[in-house]
């Protein structure tokens, strides 16, 4: 008789636990609850996006400061002289590439193009 009482109590407890679990799940799947969950996720996503934008702006400001220091652009209105190595390479590179000359020495198609 003691065994029957134990198993009856165990079964009743399992039934109550399962019923509560199912009711909790059903409440979470109701339209009002789903809408609240979606709104919470949207707010959380908004906060994350805002934090990302703040981090990007801070990184941009840091990089801009680094570039200003590297280029000698100070806020005093009197820019420093750039080191020769910075602008020499820019000035020495030609802006135009020479055109290829053909067999006759005239600039134009060389005959080596694939058509």
């Amino acid at each position: 008789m003691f065994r029957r009482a134990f198993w009856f109590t165990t079964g009743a407890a399992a039934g109550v636990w399962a019923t509560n679990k199912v009711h909790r799940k059903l409440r979470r799947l109701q339209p009002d609850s789903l809408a609240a969950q979606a709104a919470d996720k949207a707010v959380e996503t908004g906060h994350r996006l805002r934090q990302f934008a703040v981090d990007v702006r801070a990184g941009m400001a840091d990089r801009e400061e680094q570039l200003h220091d590297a280029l000698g652009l100070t806020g005093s209105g009197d820019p420093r002289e750039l080191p020769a190595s910075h602008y020499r390479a820019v000035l020495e590179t030609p802006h135009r590439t020479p055109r290829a000359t053909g067999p006759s020495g005239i600039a134009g198609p060389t005959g080596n193009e694939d058509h």
Side-chain angles (χ1 to χ4, degrees):
M1 169 126 163
F2 204 62
R3 280 187 182 173
R4 282 187 181 171
F6 171 75
W7 286 113
F8 177 77
T9 307
T10 304
V16 168
W17 177 79
T19 303
N20 283 338
K21 189 136 180 125
V22 167
H23 281 292
R24 241 185 268 137
K25 192 64 106 170
L26 286 175
R27 271 187 250 124
R28 287 182 57 204
L29 294 175
Q30 288 180 347
D32 294 341
S33 179
L34 290 175
Q37 288 175 11
D40 290 343
K41 292 289 183 183
V43 168
E44 181 182 335
T45 302
H47 289 305
R48 287 183 181 177
L49 285 173
R50 183 174 294 123
Q51 185 60 42
F52 175 72
V54 167
D55 292 344
V56 167
R57 285 187 191 124
M60 286 177 13
D62 289 344
R63 182 63 179 149
E64 186 174 347
E65 185 178 326
Q66 291 172 0
L67 290 173
H68 277 254
D69 289 344
L71 294 174
L73 302 173
T74 59
S76 65
D78 185 26
R80 298 181 305 182
E81 186 68 27
L82 289 176
S85 62
H86 282 290
Y87 64 86
R88 185 176 300 135
V90 174
L91 294 176
E92 290 177 356
T93 56
H95 294 292
R96 292 186 180 179
T97 57
R99 293 183 64 187
T101 57
S104 62
I106 300 173
T110 60
N112 296 333
E113 294 87 10
D114 292 331
H115 293 285

